[in-house]
Amino acid sequence: MQLFFLVILVASACQVQAKAVFAHFMLGNSDNYTKANWEADIAAAKEAHIDAFAINTGFSLSIHQMLTDAFAAAADLDFKLFLSLDYSGDGHWPQDQVINYLKDFTKLPAYFRNGDNKPLVSTFEGDQAVGDWKNIKDKVDCFFIPEWSGLRPEKSISYSQVDGLMSWTAWPNGTDPMTTDTDKEYMAALEGKPYIMPVSPWFYTNLVRFHKNWVWQGDDLWYTRWQQVLELEPEYVEILTWNDYGESHYIGPIHPSGLAVFDYGQAPFDYAKGMPHDGWRQFLPYVIDLYKNGGKDAEIEDEGLVSWYRVNPAPACSSGKTTGNTVTQAQQTMEPQEVLQDKVFFSALLESAADISVTIDGKSRAASWTDTPDGGKGIYHGNIPINNQTGAVVVTLTRDNQLLAEINGHPITSDCVKNMTNWNAWVGNATSVGPKPSSPSGSSKKHDSSSSQLVQSGLVPVAVAWTLLLIWL
């Protein structure tokens, strides 16, 4: 009887899906990528403990070589990619081409596979092609998790060819706070099947060619959304995005070769120029490890500070006819400054409490944390209003009157490009220069690429189960 239960344990362990974090990667913004560009992006993603890029692409005859180059670079650096087929606009995928591309790329060693060793395939939109997927899956055995925002989750999951679902609701509506209502709706409909939860830090787009000119709420969103991930513990998380410069929610490095979107999208100005977002990756190793550990603990390798804000106060320049919300999503529009606040936002990753201060144009501003972690270890967060001040921004982190970290940020200015407010965010970060106190919660194991691959493939629980069986025998 004991042997029977151990065999059941082994069988159950084989079905365990390991948690993973993806970053949505716009292949169209890598037209001019060199091998060095791919290597830089993949190295940065691995450093952030991201498991794979979800490669978003519509169908065109030019993408096969681009994908070949991407998978080759990923294989060289022991990183994973998977296809997120884009059915929007001109990128609709013919069924036969889906089959051809999946046959070509899902067999590659760098293709991401789930815990059951099936290649993961996703989409952006495409519910009109739902009928294609029965035949596609007959030809290519894959694990299919689409993003079909045009259908209710109950309807989407009712199709037998669907193995899980992704939501695109990573931003709240207007001034509403970000909630997990949509996530919970998806998870309830899925009844235990995998859910890809979207996380994004920002949204501003102004691309005339595509009739896009609106903002959605960013502000505290990067902090808030990761707290919601820790609350819900979904199977997967997808960051929106790695390199969508045209929608301002990139967290990856800015490559000049990837900024052609501002030309072909007929943007009135390049609103990503001089606006790095790399700082939003600084705390990802900690929060991703915490998510994968079920919120129990994660190691802080370095304490540090991140700050972000808009460099143009809302009243300083023309709005550029940008709206808060968009009629294209059947939303009630409002002024952009109602959606995005004129504030300096800051987060710190700390072993124990520390103090925060902000100066604008040399004038000290009272600052404090609005959110602190239980037990004192973790991510602290807060913000202060700009109050129409302009000038140099300095954000300083201290403990016991000793400097830990300081960000000398981009000046806030009323000097706007083409007299248009840039609704994008500038993000800065700094690593602590002070001694790190002992963790009140103890330390956990450092991230290891080999163990990460075992977790990703679902082999860790299987190995444990077999070990138990062998010990019993």
Side-chain angles (χ1 to χ4, degrees):
M1 182 62 71
Q2 287 176 308
L3 176 61
F4 171 76
F5 282 120
L6 282 170
V7 170
I8 293 298
L9 175 62
V10 170
S12 299
C14 291
Q15 301 302 313
V16 172
Q17 301 288 323
K19 293 176 180 176
V21 175
F22 316 129
H24 202 76
F25 187 101
M26 308 297 290
L27 188 68
N29 287 344
S30 66
D31 282 355
N32 300 311
Y33 260 33
T34 64
K35 183 179 180 182
N37 291 145
W38 279 113
E39 290 173 344
D41 277 6
I42 290 171
K46 290 187 68 173
E47 186 178 8
H49 294 192
I50 291 168
D51 297 285
F53 284 151
I55 303 292
N56 170 282
T57 178
F59 173 70
S60 77
L61 297 177
S62 65
I63 65 170
H64 197 280
Q65 186 59 51
M66 295 168 65
L67 288 170
T68 300
D69 294 342
F71 275 92
D76 287 346
L77 295 175
D78 193 24
F79 189 63
K80 303 299 180 184
L81 314 174
F82 66 90
L83 292 178
S84 176
L85 306 174
D86 196 324
Y87 283 78
S88 66
D90 299 329
H92 182 89
W93 277 84
Q95 181 184 155
D96 62 332
Q97 294 297 334
V98 174
I99 294 169
N100 290 340
Y101 273 74
L102 293 185
K103 284 183 175 179
D104 285 349
F105 291 102
T106 58
K107 65 185 179 184
L108 298 179
Y111 201 97
F112 180 90
R113 292 173 173 266
N114 74 347
D116 294 324
N117 203 33
K118 288 189 176 185
L120 174 60
V121 180
S122 188
T123 71
F124 176 71
E125 300 188 5
D127 59 87
Q128 72 275 14
V130 61
D132 293 356
W133 283 93
K134 187 178 187 307
N135 184 48
I136 293 169
K137 292 187 71 176
D138 285 343
K139 298 292 193 300
V140 183
D141 186 21
C142 62
F143 199 76
F144 183 48
I145 304 184
E147 183 284 316
W148 286 340
S149 57
L151 299 178
R152 302 291 296 173
E154 296 84 358
K155 179 65 175 177
S156 296
I157 200 60
S158 70
Y159 295 104
S160 60
Q161 54 268 49
V162 175
D163 299 303
L165 292 173
M166 178 183 177
S167 162
W168 206 255
T169 306
W171 306 272
N173 183 353
T175 59
D176 294 345
M178 188 69 197
T179 72
T180 57
D181 292 349
T182 298
D183 306 298
K184 289 177 179 177
E185 182 182 359
Y186 271 79
M187 296 175 83
L190 285 164
E191 296 182 336
K193 291 183 178 180
Y195 173 55
I196 301 179
M197 181 172 173
V199 175
S200 188
W202 208 261
F203 193 109
Y204 162 52
T205 184
N206 190 347
L207 300 174
V208 175
R209 178 179 177 181
F210 304 114
H211 310 289
K212 297 168 62 172
N213 187 7
W214 73 87
V215 300
W216 280 331
Q217 192 183 135
D219 292 354
D220 298 295
L221 186 61
W222 189 237
Y223 169 80
T224 300
R225 194 64 172 150
W226 279 109
Q227 297 304 306
Q228 294 173 349
V229 167
L230 296 174
E231 173 194 342
L232 295 186
E233 298 189 69
E235 196 74 51
Y236 301 123
V237 174
E238 189 160 324
I239 297 169
L240 308 179
T241 60
W242 183 262
N243 65 335
D244 194 337
Y245 308 113
E247 292 186 353
S248 305
H249 41 58
Y250 51 94
I251 67 162
I254 297 176
H255 296 291
S257 60
L259 297 178
V261 62
F262 294 107
D263 291 328
Y264 69 72
Q266 299 173 7
F269 67 106
D270 180 347
Y271 41 87
K273 184 177 181 180
M275 305 293 277
H277 289 179
D278 302 87
W280 275 327
R281 299 196 308 273
Q282 181 165 348
F283 302 157
L284 281 183
Y286 174 80
V287 75
I288 288 175
D289 289 356
L290 197 62
Y291 151 70
K292 290 182 178 179
N293 293 339
K296 295 183 178 68
D297 192 22
E299 183 180 20
I300 297 176
E301 294 192 12
D302 292 297
E303 294 185 299
L305 177 65
V306 178
S307 181
W308 62 95
Y309 50 90
R310 291 182 295 100
V311 300
N312 300 141
C317 310
S318 163
S319 69
K321 298 183 179 179
T322 300
T323 59
N325 285 350
T326 171
V327 294
T328 62
Q329 299 291 321
Q331 294 177 322
Q332 181 178 352
T333 60
M334 57 189 69
E335 294 300 317
Q337 61 266 32
E338 295 180 64
V339 176
L340 297 178
Q341 302 176 72
D342 278 347
K343 288 184 174 183
V344 175
F345 302 89
F346 40 81
S347 292
L349 179 59
L350 300 170
E351 291 282 6
S352 62
D355 298 313
I356 189 76
S357 63
V358 178
T359 64
I360 302 176
D361 194 28
K363 301 177 181 67
S364 182
R365 299 288 306 280
S368 61
W369 307 113
T370 56
D371 296 274
T372 59
D374 293 339
K377 174 187 175 182
I379 297 179
Y380 291 66
H381 181 72
N383 62 69
I384 63 161
I386 292 172
N387 290 343
N388 292 321
Q389 283 187 274
T390 58
V393 178
V394 180
V395 185
T396 306
L397 187 67
T398 58
R399 181 184 288 123
D400 298 328
N401 295 319
Q402 298 295 313
L403 177 67
L404 288 185
E406 189 166 83
I407 297 171
N408 290 285
H410 191 296
I412 297 173
T413 176
S414 57
D415 183 13
C416 305
V417 178
K418 296 186 179 181
N419 195 38
M420 295 174 61
T421 295
N422 189 342
W423 300 103
N424 193 5
W426 180 91
V427 185
N429 61 288
T431 301
S432 173
V433 296
K436 187 172 75 168
S438 300
S439 169
S441 305
S443 62
S444 58
K445 292 182 180 179
K446 290 186 177 181
H447 181 79
D448 178 78
S449 59
S450 59
S451 64
S452 174
Q453 293 303 315
L454 286 173
V455 171
Q456 173 187 295
S457 63
L459 294 178
V460 166
V462 178
V464 170
W466 278 114
T467 301
L468 290 172
L469 178 57
L470 291 172
I471 292 172
W472 184 89
L473 293 174

